[in-house]
Amino acid sequence: MGYDRKLLAAARRELERERTARSEEFEARRREVYAREPRIRAIDRTLSQTAASVLRAALNTGGDPSAAIEQLRGQNLALQAERAELLRGMGLDADYLTEKPMCEKCGDTGYAGSATCDCVKTRYAALLREQLSAVLPIRDQNFAHFRMDYYSTRPDARLGLSPRENMEYNLDECKTYAEKFGAHSPNLLLYGSTGLGKTFLSSCVAEAVAARGFSVAYDTAINIVAAYETIKFGNGDGEAAAERAARYERADLLIIDDMGTEMGTAFTVSALYNLINNRLMAGRPMIVNTNLPPEALAEKYSPAVASRLLGEFVSLRFFGDDIRLMKKQKKM
């Protein structure tokens, strides 16, 4: 998994803020208890000072500290029992003043050994989904909201199956893809006419993959090309464009939507070819959505681009009636 360094740092800062807030809340709790029962403050002070003083005395005399340690242990157990009884008398749990970490695995450090702890990964995944929601309505566009009833059960005479049967296959393929997504996942080419669910289904994949902690870059081909044009020709916010381009290139999954709607210039073809080819060379998975049939890809782009899209991607065909138009007609 390739982490987005900025988001990972943000996840660690979030953990640190929560840890600080928790410590402050604990200290406020301690002050309140001490104010209500000064004896508990005295016990805590004794418990914190006794161990050091006994061990220091034993070491200074050069004697065996075992007896002193055993005596100390008995005294401390008695004090702890008294402390617990006082807390219970206040209607509090015996461990009310025992500060516990939110994550027992890492002790709220964010690291399990030298590896990133799961508690940071959980926060990281939430930030990924938040970032993705800025460009996609993933709350509504996910597998749980996918509706099959918009697809006809009437078989297509040429293909021998109905749009619904075809969509059931595509849906199953995309669900499996999202569930098993990893560094070695294949690339997907979703193609067919407009309004058939390509964007919706790829959004479902994006939401599910991001929820598992993988970084997802999702954008239209027009916006992707615009970012590279800004970097090349300096006609906009270069820093923001460079940051977007870095996400396109480094994200665990890149989804290019509406490929084929951008202007077919030499620069456009070159930019998309370089992005797709570089990710193929690096083994970083992609999903490409296009309204163009396979035979039109070579006409729109260079043979090199078409070769990669048709040779390095698993193709999923979409056909049927325009769902967007059907939804619009229902509202009228």
Side-chain angles (χ1 to χ4, degrees):
M1 181 186 299
Y3 289 111
D4 182 307
R5 286 173 291 188
K6 285 189 175 181
L7 284 186
L8 184 61
R12 294 194 187 282
R13 287 195 299 272
E14 187 175 292
L15 174 64
E16 180 61 29
R17 285 195 298 270
E18 291 179 24
R19 181 172 63 181
T20 299
R22 191 178 176 89
S23 293
E24 290 173 352
E25 188 258 335
F26 179 79
E27 285 304 315
R29 176 189 298 183
R30 191 200 304 273
R31 288 193 297 271
E32 179 188 1
V33 169
Y34 285 174
R36 290 174 59 190
E37 180 51 80
R39 173 56 183 162
I40 294 179
R41 179 200 293 270
I43 290 173
D44 283 350
R45 184 180 294 117
T46 300
L47 288 171
S48 64
Q49 294 174 349
T50 305
S53 61
V54 170
L55 289 175
R56 186 164 53 250
L59 292 172
N60 288 339
T61 59
D64 183 357
S66 299
I69 290 174
E70 188 58 33
Q71 181 183 5
L72 172 65
R73 180 174 177 275
Q75 292 173 351
N76 282 357
L77 287 175
L79 287 171
Q80 289 170 19
E82 181 186 354
R83 182 177 185 266
E85 189 61 31
L86 288 170
L87 287 169
R88 281 193 289 266
M90 298 170 68
L92 303 173
D93 292 335
D95 62 352
Y96 185 72
L97 292 184
T98 301
E99 190 170 7
K100 299 176 182 178
M102 294 177 289
C103 178
E104 295 183 2
K105 188 175 181 179
C106 71
D108 296 343
T109 64
Y111 293 93
S114 60
T116 299
C117 185
D118 288 341
C119 67
V120 173
K121 292 179 182 178
T122 298
R123 290 170 174 80
Y124 176 77
L127 290 173
L128 281 173
R129 295 184 77 252
E130 183 180 320
Q131 183 187 71
L132 192 60
S133 68
V135 295
L136 284 174
I138 57 175
R139 290 183 180 178
D140 299 320
Q141 293 190 1
N142 52 59
F143 288 122
H145 288 86
F146 192 89
R147 291 181 58 180
M148 197 64 68
D149 55 313
Y150 281 110
Y151 297 89
S152 172
T153 58
R154 186 175 64 256
D156 183 285
R158 295 170 303 164
L159 301 175
L161 74 163
S162 69
R164 183 172 298 184
E165 289 172 321
N166 177 69
M167 201 59 209
E168 286 172 346
Y169 174 82
N170 289 344
L171 177 61
D172 185 62
E173 286 292 299
C174 287
K175 278 185 175 180
T176 301
Y177 185 88
E179 291 168 359
K180 297 183 177 180
F181 181 83
H184 304 292
S185 289
N187 307 294
L188 299 181
L189 176 66
L190 280 54
Y191 73 93
S193 300
T194 59
L196 296 178
K198 299 185 298 296
T199 296
F200 194 108
L201 203 51
S202 57
S203 298
C204 295
V205 174
E207 190 273 340
V209 169
R212 293 179 52 213
F214 292 97
S215 57
V216 180
Y218 193 120
D219 216 335
T220 63
I222 292 175
N223 288 340
I224 290 173
V225 170
Y228 286 106
E229 284 178 337
T230 297
I231 295 170
K232 176 73 172 177
F233 303 110
N235 56 350
D237 188 340
E239 185 176 343
E243 188 173 323
R244 283 164 53 201
R247 286 202 299 271
Y248 302 148
E249 294 160 10
R250 299 173 188 167
D252 295 318
L253 175 63
L254 169 65
I255 301 179
I256 304 176
D257 198 19
D258 284 337
M259 188 167 171
T261 58
E262 72 286 353
M263 294 291 291
T265 66
F267 179 83
T268 295
V269 172
S270 174
L272 289 173
Y273 170 79
N274 288 332
L275 175 59
I276 291 171
N277 190 60
N278 288 342
R279 286 191 63 94
L280 286 174
M281 295 293 289
R284 294 192 175 105
M286 291 170 279
I287 297 176
V288 171
N289 302 332
T290 181
N291 299 333
L292 300 176
E295 59 272 15
L297 290 171
E299 297 177 13
K300 173 77 177 182
Y301 303 100
S302 65
V305 173
S307 173
R308 278 151 182 76
L309 290 174
L310 300 177
E312 303 288 346
F313 285 66
V314 176
S315 296
L316 296 179
R317 181 176 185 174
F318 289 65
F319 66 91
D321 299 320
D322 190 325
I323 294 172
R324 293 181 194 142
L325 184 59
M326 292 168 60
K327 290 181 177 179
K328 184 177 180 180
Q329 290 173 341
K330 281 188 176 182
K331 293 179 180 178
M332 294 176 64

